[in-house]
Amino acid sequence: QDWRGQRLAWHYGWWVGDSSLIVRVPEHRLTFVLLANSDGLSRKFDLGKDNDVRRSPFPRTFLDISAEDLLHRHGSVEVHAGLIISRR
């Protein structure tokens, strides 16, 4: 999937009581991982319907943060809106 000219790689999964979501922005070496003891991360937003990870508010928030600006201004790790952004 493309987002603002950037390639995204993502994967999700859910089962009764568990769910996960991983979003990568390879060009910027950013990865967002979200795990839950609920199927609410993925199932609720029907992520597989049209291959658009932005259906879920969690990766949408991650992607809307200007991660590159945060990393340049604040070093390699920043906490913003409850998300930890790290470049390794």
Side-chain angles (χ1 to χ4, degrees):
Q1 175 176 346
D2 287 335
W3 171 80
R4 296 184 183 173
Q6 304 291 316
R7 184 174 63 91
L8 298 180
W10 62 279
H11 182 74
Y12 75 100
W14 65 269
W15 191 248
V16 178
D18 297 301
S19 57
S20 62
L21 179 61
I22 302 168
V23 180
R24 296 190 66 227
V25 186
E27 184 175 322
H28 293 283
R29 298 175 53 194
L30 293 171
T31 302
F32 174 71
V33 178
L34 193 55
L35 306 171
N37 291 330
S38 158
D39 61 9
L41 287 181
S42 303
R43 182 179 183 197
K44 179 178 178 178
F45 304 106
D46 203 12
L47 287 178
K49 183 176 182 176
D50 59 6
N51 295 321
D52 186 359
V53 73
R54 295 170 299 155
R55 288 175 151 279
S56 167
F58 307 111
R60 199 168 50 238
T61 300
F62 168 70
L63 294 170
D64 286 345
I65 293 171
S66 178
E68 194 64 23
D69 288 343
L70 287 171
L71 291 169
H72 278 124
R73 282 186 281 171
H74 301 289
S76 63
V77 176
E78 173 70 15
V79 177
H80 182 77
L83 302 175
I84 298 173
I85 299 171
S86 174
R87 181 183 304 194
R88 302 235 181 238

